[in-house]
mmCIF file of all heavy atoms in Angstrom:
data_model
loop_
_atom_site.group_PDB
_atom_site.id
_atom_site.type_symbol
_atom_site.label_atom_id
_atom_site.label_comp_id
_atom_site.label_asym_id
_atom_site.label_seq_id
_atom_site.Cartn_x
_atom_site.Cartn_y
_atom_site.Cartn_z
ATOM 1 N N ALA A 263 90.408 120.346 77.272
ATOM 2 C CA ALA A 263 89.490 120.318 76.144
ATOM 3 C C ALA A 263 89.897 119.265 75.139
ATOM 4 O O ALA A 263 88.968 118.638 74.504
ATOM 5 C CB ALA A 263 89.483 121.728 75.471
ATOM 6 N N LEU A 264 91.158 119.024 74.944
ATOM 7 C CA LEU A 264 91.631 118.041 73.952
ATOM 8 C C LEU A 264 91.269 116.629 74.393
ATOM 9 O O LEU A 264 90.835 115.804 73.582
ATOM 10 C CB LEU A 264 93.136 118.175 73.775
ATOM 11 C CG LEU A 264 93.770 117.198 72.788
ATOM 12 C CD1 LEU A 264 93.273 117.414 71.374
ATOM 13 C CD2 LEU A 264 95.301 117.322 72.809
ATOM 14 N N ASN A 265 91.414 116.370 75.649
ATOM 15 C CA ASN A 265 91.241 114.997 76.152
ATOM 16 C C ASN A 265 89.818 114.771 76.654
ATOM 17 O O ASN A 265 89.336 113.593 76.682
ATOM 18 C CB ASN A 265 92.242 114.688 77.289
ATOM 19 C CG ASN A 265 93.665 114.543 76.809
ATOM 20 O OD1 ASN A 265 94.051 113.507 76.328
ATOM 21 N ND2 ASN A 265 94.415 115.626 76.894
ATOM 22 N N TYR A 266 89.144 115.788 77.058
ATOM 23 C CA TYR A 266 87.801 115.630 77.571
ATOM 24 C C TYR A 266 86.876 116.715 76.961
ATOM 25 O O TYR A 266 86.494 117.665 77.691
ATOM 26 C CB TYR A 266 87.780 115.719 79.143
ATOM 27 C CG TYR A 266 88.716 114.755 79.794
ATOM 28 C CD1 TYR A 266 90.039 115.144 80.165
ATOM 29 C CD2 TYR A 266 88.325 113.438 80.031
ATOM 30 C CE1 TYR A 266 90.877 114.226 80.752
ATOM 31 C CE2 TYR A 266 89.217 112.525 80.624
ATOM 32 C CZ TYR A 266 90.453 112.924 80.979
ATOM 33 O OH TYR A 266 91.335 112.045 81.560
ATOM 34 N N PRO A 267 86.578 116.608 75.683
ATOM 35 C CA PRO A 267 85.807 117.637 75.005
ATOM 36 C C PRO A 267 84.407 117.853 75.562
ATOM 37 O O PRO A 267 83.814 118.934 75.388
ATOM 38 C CB PRO A 267 85.759 117.178 73.563
ATOM 39 C CG PRO A 267 86.025 115.685 73.600
ATOM 40 C CD PRO A 267 86.922 115.516 74.792
ATOM 41 N N GLN A 268 83.867 116.849 76.230
ATOM 42 C CA GLN A 268 82.538 116.973 76.877
ATOM 43 C C GLN A 268 82.598 117.305 78.342
ATOM 44 O O GLN A 268 81.587 117.171 79.043
ATOM 45 C CB GLN A 268 81.803 115.675 76.623
ATOM 46 C CG GLN A 268 81.672 115.231 75.211
ATOM 47 C CD GLN A 268 80.960 116.236 74.343
ATOM 48 O OE1 GLN A 268 80.019 116.891 74.759
ATOM 49 N NE2 GLN A 268 81.483 116.425 73.138
ATOM 50 N N SER A 269 83.747 117.656 78.807
ATOM 51 C CA SER A 269 83.920 117.937 80.279
ATOM 52 C C SER A 269 83.037 119.049 80.792
ATOM 53 O O SER A 269 82.932 120.111 80.127
ATOM 54 C CB SER A 269 85.374 118.199 80.614
ATOM 55 O OG SER A 269 85.510 118.513 81.967
ATOM 56 N N GLN A 270 82.441 118.803 81.895
ATOM 57 C CA GLN A 270 81.607 119.814 82.580
ATOM 58 C C GLN A 270 82.455 121.052 83.003
ATOM 59 O O GLN A 270 81.970 122.162 83.141
ATOM 60 C CB GLN A 270 80.891 119.279 83.792
ATOM 61 C CG GLN A 270 81.852 118.747 84.853
ATOM 62 C CD GLN A 270 81.138 118.274 86.102
ATOM 63 O OE1 GLN A 270 80.171 118.888 86.533
ATOM 64 N NE2 GLN A 270 81.646 117.195 86.710
ATOM 65 N N TYR A 271 83.781 120.793 83.182
ATOM 66 C CA TYR A 271 84.621 121.824 83.659
ATOM 67 C C TYR A 271 85.044 122.830 82.594
ATOM 68 O O TYR A 271 85.656 123.851 82.845
ATOM 69 C CB TYR A 271 85.953 121.206 84.247
ATOM 70 C CG TYR A 271 85.660 120.326 85.403
ATOM 71 C CD1 TYR A 271 85.959 118.945 85.330
ATOM 72 C CD2 TYR A 271 85.139 120.822 86.599
ATOM 73 C CE1 TYR A 271 85.726 118.088 86.406
ATOM 74 C CE2 TYR A 271 84.874 119.971 87.637
ATOM 75 C CZ TYR A 271 85.181 118.613 87.578
ATOM 76 O OH TYR A 271 84.930 117.784 88.646
ATOM 77 N N LEU A 272 84.615 122.535 81.327
ATOM 78 C CA LEU A 272 84.833 123.540 80.285
ATOM 79 C C LEU A 272 83.806 124.654 80.287
ATOM 80 O O LEU A 272 84.067 125.736 79.764
ATOM 81 C CB LEU A 272 84.827 122.840 78.920
ATOM 82 C CG LEU A 272 85.975 121.828 78.674
ATOM 83 C CD1 LEU A 272 85.779 121.077 77.365
ATOM 84 C CD2 LEU A 272 87.297 122.611 78.656
ATOM 85 N N SER A 273 82.650 124.308 80.800
ATOM 86 C CA SER A 273 81.569 125.348 80.911
ATOM 87 C C SER A 273 81.419 125.995 82.274
ATOM 88 O O SER A 273 80.796 126.977 82.399
ATOM 89 C CB SER A 273 80.222 124.665 80.487
ATOM 90 O OG SER A 273 79.921 123.544 81.339
ATOM 91 N N LYS A 274 82.058 125.346 83.275
ATOM 92 C CA LYS A 274 81.984 125.966 84.603
ATOM 93 C C LYS A 274 83.290 125.639 85.329
ATOM 94 O O LYS A 274 83.936 124.613 85.137
ATOM 95 C CB LYS A 274 80.837 125.419 85.437
ATOM 96 C CG LYS A 274 80.924 123.937 85.751
ATOM 97 C CD LYS A 274 79.783 123.491 86.710
ATOM 98 C CE LYS A 274 79.936 122.047 87.093
ATOM 99 N NZ LYS A 274 78.867 121.650 88.048
ATOM 100 N N SER A 275 83.659 126.561 86.174
ATOM 101 C CA SER A 275 84.953 126.412 86.913
ATOM 102 C C SER A 275 84.817 125.307 87.967
ATOM 103 O O SER A 275 83.751 125.022 88.457
ATOM 104 C CB SER A 275 85.358 127.739 87.553
ATOM 105 O OG SER A 275 85.522 128.746 86.582
ATOM 106 N N TRP A 276 86.010 124.719 88.282
ATOM 107 C CA TRP A 276 86.044 123.723 89.319
ATOM 108 C C TRP A 276 85.779 124.400 90.670
ATOM 109 O O TRP A 276 86.240 125.501 90.974
ATOM 110 C CB TRP A 276 87.417 123.090 89.386
ATOM 111 C CG TRP A 276 87.541 122.017 90.400
ATOM 112 C CD1 TRP A 276 87.307 120.685 90.271
ATOM 113 C CD2 TRP A 276 87.936 122.237 91.803
ATOM 114 N NE1 TRP A 276 87.531 120.043 91.471
ATOM 115 C CE2 TRP A 276 87.892 120.941 92.453
ATOM 116 C CE3 TRP A 276 88.296 123.329 92.553
ATOM 117 C CZ2 TRP A 276 88.199 120.768 93.746
ATOM 118 C CZ3 TRP A 276 88.585 123.157 93.912
ATOM 119 C CH2 TRP A 276 88.561 121.858 94.476
ATOM 120 N N THR A 277 84.945 123.725 91.504
ATOM 121 C CA THR A 277 84.668 124.281 92.830
ATOM 122 C C THR A 277 84.827 123.129 93.829
ATOM 123 O O THR A 277 84.757 121.944 93.509
ATOM 124 C CB THR A 277 83.248 124.791 92.957
ATOM 125 O OG1 THR A 277 82.294 123.762 92.573
ATOM 126 C CG2 THR A 277 83.015 126.020 92.052
ATOM 127 N N VAL A 278 85.104 123.512 95.086
ATOM 128 C CA VAL A 278 85.301 122.501 96.126
ATOM 129 C C VAL A 278 83.961 121.796 96.386
ATOM 130 O O VAL A 278 82.962 122.404 96.598
ATOM 131 C CB VAL A 278 85.819 123.191 97.417
ATOM 132 C CG1 VAL A 278 85.871 122.146 98.562
ATOM 133 C CG2 VAL A 278 87.156 123.788 97.199
ATOM 134 N N GLU A 279 84.007 120.460 96.375
ATOM 135 C CA GLU A 279 82.869 119.658 96.720
ATOM 136 C C GLU A 279 83.221 118.788 97.866
ATOM 137 O O GLU A 279 84.270 118.084 97.790
ATOM 138 C CB GLU A 279 82.411 118.810 95.524
ATOM 139 C CG GLU A 279 81.854 119.604 94.336
ATOM 140 C CD GLU A 279 81.357 118.734 93.244
ATOM 141 O OE1 GLU A 279 81.335 117.477 93.486
ATOM 142 O OE2 GLU A 279 81.010 119.258 92.193
ATOM 143 N N GLU A 280 82.459 118.805 98.897
ATOM 144 C CA GLU A 280 82.699 117.914 100.025
ATOM 145 C C GLU A 280 82.327 116.483 99.670
ATOM 146 O O GLU A 280 81.181 116.199 99.325
ATOM 147 C CB GLU A 280 81.875 118.392 101.237
ATOM 148 C CG GLU A 280 82.205 119.766 101.736
ATOM 149 C CD GLU A 280 83.623 119.852 102.301
ATOM 150 O OE1 GLU A 280 84.195 118.812 102.614
ATOM 151 O OE2 GLU A 280 84.204 120.965 102.344
#
Side-chain angles (χ1 to χ4, degrees):
L264 179 64
N265 289 277
Y266 305 96
Q268 305 300 320
S269 176
Q270 60 175 323
Y271 300 115
L272 293 173
S273 58
K274 66 174 185 177
S275 300
W276 181 92
T277 56
V278 175
E279 292 184 7
E280 298 294 339

